[in-house]
Amino acid sequence: EVQLVESGGGLVQPGRSLRLSCAASGFTFDDYAMYWVRQAPGKGLEWVSGISWNSGYIGYADSVKGRFTISRDNAKNSLFLQMNNLRTDDTALYYCAKHLMIFGVVPQGLFDYWGQGALVTVSS
Amino acid sequence: EIVLTQSPATLSLSPGERATLSCRASQTISNYLAWYQQKPGQAPRLLIYDASNRATGIPARFSGSGSGTDFTLTISSLEPEDFAVYYCQQRSSWITFGQGTRLEIK
């Protein structure tokens, strides 16, 4: 059974940093591109970042480019999102998501499994 | 950025009725369109990908159609568990989502 479990969320002041983690199990992690997608309270879905199976291709939404860094550790079946210089509009539930297709292309994300999300609240 | 516009914002129907949800892209996206269902307190669930392919385990009452800029998700006969928010998503040029359609019980 595929499982994605996010951790690392919390309350943080504007301008500070936070690091999210996603522990994956139930599939061959290093065969799949992985993503972060967020959802602000009561709002829709927004793609944040994606990373290819071998970390060779990485992409970011314009709203987070230069502030967020995605990475993965295939030996530990883990995905990460380092979030720096956080803003109040980064407040959201952050989902870790898996690409549907093996060796899927990062810019053509398609999400067949999602975690339950990690809540990030940016407030003074 | 490709903008996806979903209509209607809210759809009120009764169980057993047919639901038709629309998604329009600001430029052509071929068939790179997916549909997700999200229930309160849950993560989204992939229903349809590449416009008309049902994801694993999705009931046959869900179907998708369209290409280019205009797409449709049809639920042939609504079950009580189908009332939720539905999002479309394009992957032709990076990734964007529509704003969602809320399907509510009439």
Side-chain angles (χ1 to χ4, degrees), chain A residues 67-84:
Chain A
R67 300 187 299 121
F68 289 12
T69 302
I70 191 172
S71 62
R72 64 190 294 162
D73 183 340
N74 286 346
K76 296 183 177 179
N77 290 351
S78 295
L79 176 71
F80 306 100
L81 185 68
Q82 177 67 42
M83 303 183 292
N84 297 333

Side-chain angles (χ1 to χ4, degrees), chain B residues 14-65:
Chain B
S14 300
E17 291 193 292
R18 181 185 187 89
T20 304
L21 287 67
S22 295
C23 179
R24 174 166 289 177
S26 59
Q27 60 192 80
T28 185
I29 58 171
S30 184
N31 67 335
Y32 291 123
L33 195 284
W35 291 93
Y36 297 84
Q37 177 194 67
Q38 188 177 33
K39 297 179 181 179
Q42 295 185 15
R45 176 173 71 143
L46 177 66
L47 301 174
I48 301 287
Y49 66 95
D50 293 349
S52 60
N53 297 295
R54 268 192 305 276
T56 301
I58 301 304
R61 65 181 181 274
F62 290 92
S63 64
S65 63

